[in-house]
Amino acid sequence: MNKKNILVGQSGGPTAVINGSLYGVICEGARHSDAVGCVYGMINGIEGFLADSYMNLSETLSDDDLELLRLTPAAYLGSCRFKLPENLSDSFYRVLFEKLERLDIGYFFYIGGNDSMDTVSKLSRYAAQIKSPIRFIGIPKTIDNDLWGTDMTFGFQSAVDIATEAIDRIHTTATSHSRVFIVEVMGHKVGWVTLHAGIAGGADIILLPEIPYDVDNVVRAIKSRTEAGKHFTIIAVAEGAITKEDAALPKKKLKEKQEKKGYPSVAYELAEKIQNRMDQEVRITVPGHTQRGGSPCPYDRVLATRLGAAAADLILKEDYGY
Ligand code: F6P
């Protein structure tokens, strides 16, 4: 078998466990030494690679380094947010493929979310168009858990843990000061992390992008809790949650409206609307990017390593398009 090299990159928002999948690709690549020459890593994703920023991971990382890589919560190769041209005739693709050919790349792995899978899709289609033998494989990573064709993406469970802990910890002040607390949870345009953390943390109200909300209903729910003798309320709101009124607007109009309103994020808008309708103190907690870092949960560690290894294993089986 003619040996070819692997090129692997990390892209988009990191997760606590993104290095686990890189570890999986490198180890599985090394195991298939009959088919794989060496493993190169793009530094800062495809954007970095285009600027000739990459490293030879097979030469750089010792076995001890690999063990550290598996356990260290960081995006070792760095990341980027970079959208490839829609038009496959753009000279961008020719330039990129020349760079891949110069490194004798046979297998290209991209660890990321929706934009990264879009990159993999475009490169695969371009490869088919020019009859290139280079194969492209996407490894599904995102805390948002919103990748088509997957049951669960790695990073999601760790983010749920962190958001749940934020809700758990807010209970102390919410109850001691009889406040309404809004905990804003990440997830881009979907509510998976919020729903799971909200249920696990015992949030009293959960607002998701998938179900546009009505502020009057939210206030009604808070008041009925007070009437029932519960003097605090915790609201888990997804960063992409939206009112019924805004959901009815065309996309462009909505964007203009949001820019005009100028709230830092959805929690601030919701807090103001609630505060305008009642006297109870309202406070905001935004765990933000902490949901993508720190020590990953065991479930994610196992899933990330398995998916990284499975992706490299597809090479041997010559089972592409996944
Ligand atoms: O896609 C992952 C994610 O963390 C989303 O949940 C969030 O909307 C977005 O990335 C934030 O991106 P940035 O790092 O650019 O602020």
Side-chain angles (χ1 to χ4, degrees):
M1 194 171 188
N2 198 2
K3 284 193 190 191
K4 287 283 177 188
N5 298 321
I6 286 180
L7 179 65
V8 56
Q10 300 170 322
S11 171
T15 73
V17 76
I18 186 166
N19 275 350
S21 52
L22 179 61
Y23 166 86
V25 170
I26 298 171
C27 289
E28 201 63 18
R31 229 167 55 78
H32 297 326
S33 55
D34 53 327
V36 174
C38 67
V39 181
Y40 289 105
M42 310 173 207
I43 298 173
N44 293 119
I46 199 149
E47 193 172 17
F49 181 72
L50 279 166
D52 294 321
S53 194
Y54 59 86
M55 65 197 284
N56 186 331
L57 295 165
S58 308
E59 272 176 11
T60 315
L61 299 178
S62 66
D63 286 351
D64 287 350
D65 290 336
L66 275 177
E67 275 313 301
L68 275 175
L69 182 69
R70 189 170 71 82
L71 298 172
T72 308
Y76 179 70
L77 291 172
S79 189
C80 71
R81 288 202 190 276
F82 187 81
K83 201 106 168 122
L84 267 55
E86 294 303 326
N87 184 355
L88 296 186
S89 314
D90 195 294
S91 61
F92 169 93
Y93 292 96
R94 184 182 42 77
V95 173
L96 178 72
F97 271 67
E98 277 168 12
K99 286 181 190 287
L100 295 175
E101 279 152 21
R102 231 172 282 144
L103 281 181
D104 204 15
I105 301 301
Y107 319 103
F108 179 111
F109 294 91
Y110 217 36
I111 306 167
N114 276 302
D115 283 344
S116 313
M117 296 308 126
D118 178 63
T119 295
V120 172
S121 162
K122 284 172 177 156
L123 294 177
S124 300
R125 281 184 279 134
Y126 182 78
Q129 199 172 291
I130 63 162
K131 300 198 172 28
S132 162
I134 305 174
R135 301 299 178 188
F136 297 85
I137 296 173
I139 305 181
K141 168 252 30 166
T142 167
I143 65 163
D144 303 341
N145 197 30
D146 62 346
L147 275 180
W148 181 89
T150 62
D151 288 333
M152 202 180 298
T153 54
F154 55 87
F156 168 65
Q157 290 291 350
S158 300
V160 169
D161 280 7
I162 296 160
T164 302
E165 192 178 337
I167 297 170
D168 280 347
R169 287 174 186 266
I170 278 309
H171 272 84
T172 313
T173 305
T175 52
S176 69
H177 284 62
S178 302
R179 283 177 179 161
V180 172
F181 257 99
I182 301 173
V183 181
E184 184 181 296
V185 179
M186 266 191 172
H188 197 44
K189 289 184 180 148
V190 299
W192 285 103
V193 185
T194 311
L195 180 63
H196 282 240
I199 292 172
D204 307 298
I205 298 171
I206 301 175
L207 303 177
L208 309 174
E210 291 83 351
I211 308 170
Y213 67 89
D214 177 336
V215 183
D216 292 329
N217 280 345
V218 173
V219 170
R220 220 170 288 133
I222 298 169
K223 287 185 175 161
S224 75
R225 280 179 57 77
T226 308
E227 280 157 25
K230 294 170 185 157
H231 295 284
F232 73 96
T233 295
I234 295 179
I235 305 174
V237 62
E239 64 172 337
I242 184 169
T243 61
K244 279 188 174 162
E245 190 192 1
D246 285 352
L249 293 173
K251 262 191 188 168
K252 203 171 153 218
K253 279 242 161 70
L254 176 63
K255 205 166 168 224
E256 282 166 11
K257 187 176 168 191
Q258 281 167 340
E259 278 166 8
K260 209 163 151 200
K261 283 191 291 191
Y263 293 104
S265 67
V266 65
Y268 292 83
E269 178 177 1
L270 179 63
E272 189 179 291
K273 285 184 175 152
I274 295 174
Q275 198 67 90
N276 285 342
R277 288 166 166 80
M278 58 196 302
D279 293 333
Q280 201 172 347
E281 275 184 319
V282 182
R283 292 283 193 275
I284 294 162
T285 294
V286 184
H289 297 81
T290 64
Q291 291 160 98
R292 299 196 316 211
S295 189
C297 67
Y299 184 95
D300 264 344
R301 294 180 202 200
V302 175
L303 183 64
T305 308
R306 287 184 68 195
L307 279 174
D313 193 44
L314 288 173
I315 289 174
L316 255 208
K317 294 185 187 139
E318 298 192 359
D319 213 355
Y320 305 117
Y322 292 96

